[in-house]
Amino acid sequence: EVQLVESGGGLAQPGRPLKLSCEASGFKFDDYAMHWVRQVAGKGLEWVAGIKWNSETEGYGDSVQGRFTVSRDNSKKSVVLEMNDLRPEDTALYFCVQGSGYAIGSYFKFWGQGIKVTVTP
Amino acid sequence: YEVTQSPSVSVAPGQTATITCGGPNIVRRNVHWYQWRPGQAPVLLIFYSRDRASGIPDRFSGSSSGDTATLTITRVEAGDEADYFCVVSDPLKEHIFGSGTELTVL
């Protein structure tokens, strides 16, 4: 059974950093790209970041480019989203998502339950 | 690139629901459909416009033509009540989300 378990969410102050982690199980982790997707309350979903199976390629949504960094550790079956210079508009439910293939252009195959991040003074 | 979805669709049980995702020449794009029930994680239904994901009933089908991609749900059941959203995956490594369509089963 595929499982993606997010952790590290919670409250953060504007301008401060926060790190989200995702532990994967139930599939061959290093065969797949991994992504972070978020839903801002009352709005739609937004792709945040993705990373190729071998970390060779990363991609970011326009609103987080230059502030967020995605990385992965295939030996630990984990993917991390380091969020810097947080803004109130980063407040959202963040999902860890398994890609359908090696590359970050592949579709989203399986989603975690999501973790809440709130950025407030 | 932007995609548009109608906010809501209502159908009676046993009828057919049609949910659309519009975008310029979307027929040439990779379109994927997801079901999102409250309190649960989104679930992949259809990928590459018409391929059904593993374990998804054949009541769910996808198609695409011109500027519109369509998710069709036949013989709608009460359990199909959910938000349905499309995602267009761009070769430039972007993923563009539709705003979602809320399906109500009357």
Side-chain angles (χ1 to χ4, degrees):
Chain A
E1 179 193 6
V2 174
Q3 284 195 323
L4 297 170
V5 180
E6 301 96 341
S7 61
L11 291 175
Q13 291 183 323
R16 300 295 294 170
L18 194 67
K19 185 171 78 172
L20 301 183
S21 298
C22 171
E23 305 292 325
S25 60
F27 64 100
K28 193 173 185 300
F29 184 75
D30 53 6
D31 271 357
Y32 297 95
M34 295 296 296
H35 301 268
W36 290 94
V37 174
R38 70 184 182 185
Q39 185 199 27
V40 176
K43 296 187 178 181
L45 291 154
E46 176 188 19
W47 178 66
V48 175
I51 185 166
K52 195 175 177 180
W53 71 279
N54 60 359
S55 302
E56 184 180 87
T57 306
E58 302 162 22
Y60 298 92
D62 289 344
S63 61
V64 307
Q65 179 79 48
R67 299 189 298 123
F68 290 12
T69 302
V70 62
S71 61
R72 64 189 293 161
D73 185 336
N74 287 348
S75 68
K76 296 180 179 178
K77 298 184 180 181
S78 68
V79 58
V80 167
L81 184 68
E82 295 186 68
M83 304 183 291
N84 292 309
D85 188 24
L86 281 166
R87 304 167 181 171
E89 54 264 37
D90 294 319
T91 295
L93 182 64
Y94 285 76
F95 294 94
C96 175
V97 186
Q98 176 197 11
S100 62
Y102 294 120
I104 61 176
S106 58
Y107 57 89
F108 306 129
K109 187 174 182 179
F110 188 85
W111 299 61
Q113 291 292 328
I115 193 161
K116 181 72 174 171
V117 171
T118 302
V119 182
T120 183
Chain B
Y1 192 84
E2 291 186 7
V3 295
T4 57
Q5 290 187 248
S6 298
S8 62
V9 166
S10 299
V11 296
Q15 298 303 302
T16 297
T18 301
I19 296 169
T20 61
C21 181
N25 210 16
I26 203 170
V27 66
R28 301 187 66 87
R29 301 276 183 159
N30 295 321
V31 181
H32 319 295
W33 290 95
Y34 299 83
Q35 178 192 65
W36 194 7
R37 293 191 176 104
Q40 299 185 20
V43 172
L44 174 68
L45 298 173
I46 302 289
F47 58 98
Y48 295 133
S49 300
R50 61 183 67 248
D51 293 335
R52 197 176 304 112
S54 176
I56 301 302
D58 60 7
R59 300 186 298 106
F60 294 84
S61 63
S63 62
S64 187
S65 178
D67 296 338
T68 303
T70 303
L71 172 70
T72 302
I73 310 170
T74 59
R75 304 184 303 280
V76 166
E77 304 170 356
D80 296 333
E81 267 202 354
D83 281 338
Y84 293 84
F85 62 91
C86 60
V87 180
V88 174
S89 297
D90 190 283
L92 296 178
K93 299 171 290 188
E94 281 191 302
H95 301 272
I96 302 107
F97 286 80
S99 55
T101 297
E102 182 180 13
L103 173 64
T104 299
V105 181
L106 302 170

